[in-house]
Amino acid sequence: MSPLPSGESSVEVVVTPDPEGLAEAAAERFSKAAEKALAGSGRFTVALAGGSTPKGLYALLASEPYRSRVPWPRARVFWGDERCVPPTHGDSNYRMAEETLLRRLPIPREQIYRIRGEDPDPDRAAAEYEQVLKTVFGLRPAALPRFDLILLGMGADGHTASLFPRSPALREVSRLAVAPYVEQVGGYRITLTLPVLNHAACVMFLVSGQEKAATLRSVLAPGAGHDRPPAGLVAPQGGVVVWLADRAAARLLQDPVRGKAQS
Ligand code: 6PG
């Protein structure tokens, strides 16, 4: 059984008319999260999502006004997960973000922390990524990194990052990053774990398309408990989870949930 996060998290669901509106709403919240982080710690730590949905957001962030509004030189950029491919591969989440966003921004390259998907030993790559997290966040042993913002997508099966239904990775309670074999894709992935996702100040899901509507309804159903799909297990303790969905993905929701969700 997957551990539900303890504690309280705020849930907000925002429905936009279309994917363009989704990207705009996400860019606005991304920018606000960055400004809030800068005012607090003086830097902005963010984990990017892979897949295709975030591309519209990344294109907006790479252009004005967001290119100027976000304090990119103070950003530390990570990924929520990575496929086990080289960074030049068409499936690489790094490559997608590099091409749509990062290469167009004034971020010092040493502040971009790529997951080494090309490593023939995925466990070693996950352990290396975990060490980078511990170093950059200055973590004491057994401490968790608190990202200012984690971007996530959701598959039609309810997976998020590379945490898939029935995956043993869902039961990880201490590692920051793991490299599970994913039956659903027939290969290994490297992913942040639920403890890290549930320690973020803000998690923002971007969900688009009618094929995700049934899953989104089950993820947001009150009281679904342990039976929720992996995306439904993300509820950062003392943090905020914002679900941004376009109308197609939200078409089966009774009414958007707002306010605090007790878990
Ligand atoms: C990945 C992502 C994954 C993605 C979902 C949704 O590496 O693919 O981490 O969790 O967010 O599969 O993907 P789409 O945005 O392409 O629908």
mmCIF file of all heavy atoms in Angstrom, residues 31 35 60-73 104-106:
data_model
loop_
_atom_site.group_PDB
_atom_site.id
_atom_site.type_symbol
_atom_site.label_atom_id
_atom_site.label_comp_id
_atom_site.label_asym_id
_atom_site.label_seq_id
_atom_site.Cartn_x
_atom_site.Cartn_y
_atom_site.Cartn_z
ATOM 1 N N SER A 31 5.857 32.047 -12.203
ATOM 2 C CA SER A 31 6.522 33.329 -11.958
ATOM 3 C C SER A 31 6.309 33.788 -10.520
ATOM 4 O O SER A 31 7.245 34.220 -9.840
ATOM 5 C CB SER A 31 5.953 34.357 -12.950
ATOM 6 O OG SER A 31 6.446 35.619 -12.677
ATOM 7 N N GLU A 35 9.126 34.442 -7.611
ATOM 8 C CA GLU A 35 9.255 35.710 -6.885
ATOM 9 C C GLU A 35 9.191 35.476 -5.372
ATOM 10 O O GLU A 35 9.964 36.018 -4.592
ATOM 11 C CB GLU A 35 8.131 36.669 -7.327
ATOM 12 C CG GLU A 35 8.330 37.249 -8.719
ATOM 13 C CD GLU A 35 7.023 37.759 -9.334
ATOM 14 O OE1 GLU A 35 6.041 37.948 -8.586
ATOM 15 O OE2 GLU A 35 6.978 37.931 -10.569
ATOM 16 N N LEU A 60 6.315 29.749 -23.204
ATOM 17 C CA LEU A 60 5.919 31.044 -22.615
ATOM 18 C C LEU A 60 7.002 31.572 -21.682
ATOM 19 O O LEU A 60 7.361 32.753 -21.709
ATOM 20 C CB LEU A 60 4.623 30.874 -21.808
ATOM 21 C CG LEU A 60 3.288 30.987 -22.518
ATOM 22 C CD1 LEU A 60 2.180 30.900 -21.489
ATOM 23 C CD2 LEU A 60 3.184 32.281 -23.313
ATOM 24 N N LEU A 61 7.572 30.678 -20.863
ATOM 25 C CA LEU A 61 8.583 31.124 -19.881
ATOM 26 C C LEU A 61 9.855 31.620 -20.569
ATOM 27 O O LEU A 61 10.593 32.433 -20.006
ATOM 28 C CB LEU A 61 8.921 29.973 -18.931
ATOM 29 C CG LEU A 61 7.824 29.540 -17.957
ATOM 30 C CD1 LEU A 61 8.259 28.288 -17.183
ATOM 31 C CD2 LEU A 61 7.459 30.670 -16.993
ATOM 32 N N ALA A 62 10.087 31.117 -21.774
ATOM 33 C CA ALA A 62 11.305 31.505 -22.505
ATOM 34 C C ALA A 62 11.127 32.819 -23.259
ATOM 35 O O ALA A 62 12.081 33.335 -23.849
ATOM 36 C CB ALA A 62 11.690 30.408 -23.489
ATOM 37 N N SER A 63 9.866 33.350 -23.220
ATOM 38 C CA SER A 63 9.614 34.602 -23.948
ATOM 39 C C SER A 63 9.075 35.657 -22.980
ATOM 40 O O SER A 63 8.782 35.367 -21.829
ATOM 41 C CB SER A 63 8.607 34.337 -25.082
ATOM 42 O OG SER A 63 7.517 33.598 -24.579
ATOM 43 N N GLU A 64 9.009 36.887 -23.462
ATOM 44 C CA GLU A 64 8.529 37.978 -22.585
ATOM 45 C C GLU A 64 7.027 37.853 -22.351
ATOM 46 O O GLU A 64 6.307 37.371 -23.221
ATOM 47 C CB GLU A 64 8.879 39.328 -23.216
ATOM 48 C CG GLU A 64 10.376 39.570 -23.351
ATOM 49 C CD GLU A 64 11.113 39.463 -22.004
ATOM 50 O OE1 GLU A 64 10.460 39.593 -20.948
ATOM 51 O OE2 GLU A 64 12.324 39.220 -22.018
ATOM 52 N N PRO A 65 6.511 38.300 -21.161
ATOM 53 C CA PRO A 65 7.249 38.953 -20.083
ATOM 54 C C PRO A 65 7.952 38.019 -19.121
ATOM 55 O O PRO A 65 8.697 38.451 -18.266
ATOM 56 C CB PRO A 65 6.136 39.698 -19.347
ATOM 57 C CG PRO A 65 4.952 38.788 -19.482
ATOM 58 C CD PRO A 65 5.074 38.172 -20.860
ATOM 59 N N TYR A 66 7.734 36.694 -19.234
ATOM 60 C CA TYR A 66 8.234 35.796 -18.185
ATOM 61 C C TYR A 66 9.752 35.668 -18.215
ATOM 62 O O TYR A 66 10.395 35.489 -17.184
ATOM 63 C CB TYR A 66 7.549 34.433 -18.282
ATOM 64 C CG TYR A 66 6.066 34.548 -18.060
ATOM 65 C CD1 TYR A 66 5.171 34.494 -19.119
ATOM 66 C CD2 TYR A 66 5.562 34.800 -16.780
ATOM 67 C CE1 TYR A 66 3.805 34.644 -18.913
ATOM 68 C CE2 TYR A 66 4.195 34.951 -16.570
ATOM 69 C CZ TYR A 66 3.325 34.876 -17.632
ATOM 70 O OH TYR A 66 1.981 35.042 -17.434
ATOM 71 N N ARG A 67 10.326 35.826 -19.416
ATOM 72 C CA ARG A 67 11.793 35.702 -19.478
ATOM 73 C C ARG A 67 12.458 36.756 -18.579
ATOM 74 O O ARG A 67 13.462 36.489 -17.931
ATOM 75 C CB ARG A 67 12.282 35.855 -20.911
ATOM 76 C CG ARG A 67 13.757 35.529 -21.073
ATOM 77 C CD ARG A 67 14.239 35.671 -22.505
ATOM 78 N NE ARG A 67 15.586 35.191 -22.680
ATOM 79 C CZ ARG A 67 16.671 35.843 -22.290
ATOM 80 N NH1 ARG A 67 16.518 37.024 -21.666
ATOM 81 N NH2 ARG A 67 17.880 35.348 -22.479
ATOM 82 N N SER A 68 11.790 37.916 -18.508
ATOM 83 C CA SER A 68 12.353 38.994 -17.664
ATOM 84 C C SER A 68 11.836 38.923 -16.232
ATOM 85 O O SER A 68 12.516 39.343 -15.302
ATOM 86 C CB SER A 68 11.993 40.363 -18.253
ATOM 87 O OG SER A 68 12.513 40.473 -19.550
ATOM 88 N N ARG A 69 10.630 38.394 -16.041
ATOM 89 C CA ARG A 69 10.033 38.400 -14.695
ATOM 90 C C ARG A 69 10.641 37.362 -13.762
ATOM 91 O O ARG A 69 10.775 37.578 -12.562
ATOM 92 C CB ARG A 69 8.523 38.149 -14.801
ATOM 93 C CG ARG A 69 7.708 39.434 -14.939
ATOM 94 C CD ARG A 69 6.232 39.175 -15.077
ATOM 95 N NE ARG A 69 5.663 38.397 -13.970
ATOM 96 C CZ ARG A 69 4.374 38.029 -13.948
ATOM 97 N NH1 ARG A 69 3.569 38.330 -14.965
ATOM 98 N NH2 ARG A 69 3.903 37.341 -12.939
ATOM 99 N N VAL A 70 10.988 36.216 -14.296
ATOM 100 C CA VAL A 70 11.529 35.155 -13.428
ATOM 101 C C VAL A 70 13.025 35.402 -13.204
ATOM 102 O O VAL A 70 13.755 35.687 -14.140
ATOM 103 C CB VAL A 70 11.300 33.765 -14.066
ATOM 104 C CG1 VAL A 70 11.955 32.667 -13.212
ATOM 105 C CG2 VAL A 70 9.801 33.503 -14.219
ATOM 106 N N PRO A 71 13.483 35.295 -11.952
ATOM 107 C CA PRO A 71 14.903 35.562 -11.638
ATOM 108 C C PRO A 71 15.791 34.386 -12.050
ATOM 109 O O PRO A 71 16.386 33.697 -11.230
ATOM 110 C CB PRO A 71 14.884 35.741 -10.122
ATOM 111 C CG PRO A 71 13.763 34.866 -9.652
ATOM 112 C CD PRO A 71 12.715 34.920 -10.731
ATOM 113 N N TRP A 72 15.908 34.163 -13.365
ATOM 114 C CA TRP A 72 16.585 32.951 -13.849
ATOM 115 C C TRP A 72 18.010 32.804 -13.322
ATOM 116 O O TRP A 72 18.407 31.682 -12.975
ATOM 117 C CB TRP A 72 16.550 32.918 -15.368
ATOM 118 C CG TRP A 72 15.170 32.845 -15.947
ATOM 119 C CD1 TRP A 72 14.505 33.815 -16.632
ATOM 120 C CD2 TRP A 72 14.259 31.747 -15.831
ATOM 121 N NE1 TRP A 72 13.238 33.381 -16.965
ATOM 122 C CE2 TRP A 72 13.069 32.122 -16.485
ATOM 123 C CE3 TRP A 72 14.316 30.476 -15.242
ATOM 124 C CZ2 TRP A 72 11.953 31.276 -16.585
ATOM 125 C CZ3 TRP A 72 13.228 29.637 -15.320
ATOM 126 C CH2 TRP A 72 12.049 30.033 -15.990
ATOM 127 N N PRO A 73 18.792 33.883 -13.237
ATOM 128 C CA PRO A 73 20.171 33.688 -12.734
ATOM 129 C C PRO A 73 20.231 33.156 -11.304
ATOM 130 O O PRO A 73 21.244 32.630 -10.874
ATOM 131 C CB PRO A 73 20.791 35.094 -12.809
ATOM 132 C CG PRO A 73 20.004 35.788 -13.859
ATOM 133 C CD PRO A 73 18.591 35.270 -13.719
ATOM 134 N N ARG A 104 17.417 29.193 -23.876
ATOM 135 C CA ARG A 104 17.017 30.585 -24.186
ATOM 136 C C ARG A 104 17.035 31.471 -22.942
ATOM 137 O O ARG A 104 16.557 32.599 -22.971
ATOM 138 C CB ARG A 104 15.632 30.566 -24.834
ATOM 139 C CG ARG A 104 15.624 29.775 -26.161
ATOM 140 C CD ARG A 104 14.241 29.298 -26.550
ATOM 141 N NE ARG A 104 13.362 30.429 -26.870
ATOM 142 C CZ ARG A 104 12.064 30.280 -27.161
ATOM 143 N NH1 ARG A 104 11.523 29.071 -27.126
ATOM 144 N NH2 ARG A 104 11.329 31.319 -27.465
ATOM 145 N N LEU A 105 17.578 30.934 -21.832
ATOM 146 C CA LEU A 105 17.506 31.667 -20.564
ATOM 147 C C LEU A 105 18.895 31.966 -20.008
ATOM 148 O O LEU A 105 19.835 31.194 -20.230
ATOM 149 C CB LEU A 105 16.735 30.840 -19.521
ATOM 150 C CG LEU A 105 15.270 30.528 -19.813
ATOM 151 C CD1 LEU A 105 14.713 29.652 -18.702
ATOM 152 C CD2 LEU A 105 14.459 31.807 -19.986
ATOM 153 N N PRO A 106 19.006 33.049 -19.224
ATOM 154 C CA PRO A 106 20.295 33.391 -18.583
ATOM 155 C C PRO A 106 20.494 32.624 -17.268
ATOM 156 O O PRO A 106 20.555 33.197 -16.185
ATOM 157 C CB PRO A 106 20.139 34.899 -18.334
ATOM 158 C CG PRO A 106 18.674 35.089 -18.090
ATOM 159 C CD PRO A 106 17.968 34.102 -18.978
#
